[in-house]
Each structure stands twice: as structure tokens, then as C-alpha cells.
Amino acid sequence: MSLEKLYQKIILDYASDKANKREIPDATAVERGHNSSCGDDITIVLKVKDNVIDDISFLGNGCAISTASTNMMIELTRGKSMEEAKVIVKTFFDMMAGKDVSEEELERLGDAQILEFVSTMPARIKCATLSWHSLKVLIVDH
Ligand code: ZN
């Protein structure tokens, strides 16, 4: 299996995971992200308690890359403090921008590391970063 095929399989696995697509009844903040070039429309729902991401989910629909990226982000940041989440989001954007990111920092991104290969496809970068922009806004507003 080529690396690209493997990446595609991982992305499709994450994209088909529906566990994080749900309402959070006592959510503390929401941020909608819309990518008009692809049609992705994903809202990030957040519940922050004692400065920790107590729960995070999404609503809406997007393509395989945006949905997979959203699920990866949700699984990486749930249970993390806002400070930790901020570092993860920054590392992700650094990676997507092609900046130097150390192996140790990349490790923090878990499976989201594979989205780096999307950064070579300009038309799909917006798909991969959509929900991360939303979370960044939520962290800054917090
Ligand atoms: Zn898309």
C-alpha cells in the first residue's frame, strides 16, 4: 500500500466516524466555519469547564478531508486545558504552513500529522484547516 493510499484510508476512517457529530446541551461556545470553495459547513461546539475542554463536538457537513480533520482535532483537544489546546492548534497551523516543526511537537498532533500531505494540495488546505480556524477563534475569545 502506498503512503498516499494509507493516508487516504486513515482520512476516510476518520471521516466516517459519527461519534463526535452531536449537540452538547450545556455548550459554552460555538463557532461556525464555512468553506465556500468546497461547500464545507462545520460548526464547532465547545464546553469549557475550569479552563479545560470538558467536551467538544461538531455539527454540519463537509467533505472527507474537512470531516476527518475535524474528528482528529476533536479527539486531540478533548480533555486538554485551553493552554494545551492553543499549543496544539498553533503546531497544526505551523505544520500546514510548512514551517519547521520539531518531531516532538509533531508527536502532539497524533494522526493529524498526516494532514501535512494535504498542505501540498492548495485547493484542499481550506478543507483541512476549516475547523482548526474555528477552534482558534474560540480559544482567542475565551
Ligand atoms: Zn472540503
Side-chain angles (χ1 to χ4, degrees):
M1 191 185 271
S2 71
L3 201 55
E4 197 176 322
K5 283 252 159 44
L6 178 66
Y7 288 169
Q8 281 169 358
K9 187 188 178 305
I10 295 170
I11 283 176
L12 290 177
D13 283 350
Y14 270 96
S16 60
D17 184 356
K18 302 281 183 285
N20 296 316
K21 186 177 176 180
R22 56 183 167 79
E23 304 263 1
I24 299 175
D26 47 357
T28 53
V30 295
E31 181 71 21
R32 184 181 170 196
H34 183 238
N35 172 17
S36 54
S37 60
C38 177
D40 309 315
D41 190 343
I42 296 176
T43 297
I44 298 299
V45 185
L46 196 65
K47 182 189 169 192
V48 179
K49 198 176 154 191
D50 300 329
N51 217 37
V52 168
I53 298 180
D54 192 49
D55 202 2
I56 175 169
S57 68
F58 78 97
L59 297 169
N61 291 293
C63 65
I65 289 177
S66 62
T67 309
S69 182
T70 301
N71 273 321
M72 289 169 177
M73 182 188 80
I74 284 173
E75 284 166 23
L76 273 174
T77 56
R78 185 181 291 124
K80 297 285 197 301
S81 71
M82 292 303 269
E83 274 306 308
E84 288 170 318
K86 192 177 169 182
V87 172
I88 290 169
V89 170
K90 185 188 179 298
T91 305
F92 179 79
F93 278 110
D94 284 350
M95 177 185 80
M96 294 305 282
K99 290 186 190 167
D100 274 338
V101 181
S102 70
E103 285 290 319
E104 197 184 337
E105 285 175 310
L106 276 180
E107 286 292 310
R108 287 199 199 107
L109 296 178
D111 286 344
Q113 287 173 66
I114 68 160
L115 292 170
E116 188 179 14
F117 96 98
V118 177
S119 70
T120 61
M121 301 187 285
R124 311 311 301 275
I125 292 175
K126 280 185 184 170
C127 302
T129 57
L130 182 71
S131 291
W132 295 78
H133 279 293
S134 299
L135 183 58
K136 193 177 175 183
V137 169
L138 289 168
I139 291 170
V140 169
D141 287 354
H142 181 71

